Amino acid sequence: MTGKFYTTKLGAGQGIVDETRILLDLWERGMDANVLNDLALKSGQFHKLTARRVRNLVIEGFAHRYLGKDGVPASYLKTLKGIFSSREFTQLLYLYTCRTHSILYDFVIQVYWNAYASARDSISIDETREFVMQANQDGKTSSPWSDNMITRVSSYLNGTCADFGLLEHAKKGVRTILPFRIEARVFVYLAYDLHISGHGDNSVLSHPDWGLFGMDRLDVLNEFKRLALKDWWIIQSAGDVTRIGWHYSSMEELINAFTQG
């Protein structure tokens, strides 16, 4: 992902998977982040956190990831939370979090999946720190980061990957790489999201977002063909040209189809 400076905002909660579930229950369409923050404080569900910590969680974490585009992502997630399995739902949160935080997006593709493809069994904090240091030197941060900040952001990256199931949860400096494969309905969701966002069929197949799940164009094409048998779309492919007949014209229609089973 290019065009965005790297930030330290992952420190607002890293994966915040369980917290996002709670906040989605509290949130209603049209509600802004400040109102949600007040509700979160009054709910008693974050009583172990300080008011400042809750505000960071809501404003810098939840709202930053899911309340853009008039809250459309949060609206979809609120519905799918009760339909998708825990693994499926967590993968949706992972997708949106990577899209929001370009440092995580790039780290996953450049470091995690390269390590995975090389059949390595772990990623160390030193390796992550090297990635962050190089980004800092390359001017990918809006201002130079101190050594302390580089160390903290490195920890955020590894911790976030653990929250989303890519790495093991561990206090030690080396974390085991866990098996991570996109779930079928998450694949369908992402495919339609790209299509409805205006990407042509061949652009959908080669979009960089698939790299978040370790997939290249051929992997994506093969999965499209497999899921065509489940009647999510019709696909015709010859050489480098692929045409897809999409069954749903909006994300609302797709989510209704998920709801119907």
Side-chain angles (χ1 to χ4, degrees), residues 228-241:
L229 301 176
K230 303 291 186 179
D231 204 31
W232 288 110
W233 41 63
I234 298 170
I235 186 166
Q236 296 176 316
S237 183
D240 293 333
V241 178

Side-chain angles (χ1 to χ4, degrees), residues 29-241:
R29 189 68 182 266
M31 184 183 294
D32 69 19
N34 289 319
V35 173
L36 178 60
N37 179 65
D38 291 341
L39 276 178
L41 288 170
K42 294 174 183 176
S43 72
Q45 299 196 68
F46 299 99
H47 64 277
K48 294 183 179 180
L49 304 180
T50 65
R52 180 179 179 182
R53 184 73 184 91
V54 173
R55 183 169 181 80
N56 284 341
L57 181 71
V58 174
I59 305 297
E60 300 293 343
F62 182 90
H64 190 52
R65 299 175 193 184
Y66 310 119
L67 292 189
K69 299 181 179 178
D70 296 322
V72 168
S75 180
Y76 295 160
L77 291 169
K78 188 177 178 75
T79 301
L80 292 172
K81 180 170 66 71
I83 300 168
F84 275 16
S85 69
S86 176
R87 183 184 294 272
E88 289 171 324
F89 182 74
T90 299
Q91 287 190 1
L92 288 184
L93 300 188
Y94 164 72
L95 171 64
Y96 280 110
T97 302
C98 287
R99 284 176 168 179
T100 303
H101 297 283
S102 56
I103 188 170
L104 177 63
Y105 194 110
D106 292 347
F107 173 76
V108 168
I109 291 175
Q110 296 173 21
V111 178
Y112 175 84
W113 283 112
N114 278 340
Y116 194 106
S118 300
R120 290 176 44 201
D121 59 6
S122 63
I123 291 177
S124 70
I125 190 64
D126 291 338
E127 184 176 0
T128 305
R129 193 173 189 277
E130 179 62 33
F131 167 82
V132 178
M133 287 178 61
Q134 190 61 53
N136 193 44
Q137 292 171 10
D138 291 345
K140 293 182 179 180
T141 57
S142 57
S143 60
W145 288 346
S146 66
D147 287 344
N148 181 57
M149 181 57 70
I150 288 171
T151 298
R152 287 167 58 190
V153 172
S154 302
S155 178
Y156 300 158
L157 285 170
N158 281 6
T160 303
C161 286
D163 288 344
F164 288 132
L166 288 79
L167 297 173
E168 69 167 342
H169 277 288
K171 297 289 186 181
K172 59 186 180 182
V174 178
R175 294 177 188 251
T176 299
I177 295 173
L178 302 178
F180 189 79
R181 176 180 172 82
I182 192 169
E183 295 292 315
R185 290 195 293 186
V186 176
F187 184 98
V188 173
Y189 183 96
L190 176 52
Y192 270 96
D193 179 72
L194 295 173
H195 164 65
I196 291 166
S197 296
H199 293 278
D201 294 345
N202 284 286
S203 177
V204 168
L205 292 173
S206 57
H207 196 278
D209 280 1
W210 299 114
L212 297 172
F213 298 92
M215 304 180 80
D216 60 22
R217 191 181 189 281
L218 181 58
D219 296 327
V220 175
L221 178 59
N222 287 337
E223 190 69 0
F224 260 96
K225 291 177 179 178
R226 188 181 75 83
L227 290 171
L229 301 176
K230 303 291 186 179
D231 204 31
W232 288 110
W233 41 63
I234 298 170
I235 186 166
Q236 296 176 316
S237 183
D240 293 333
V241 178

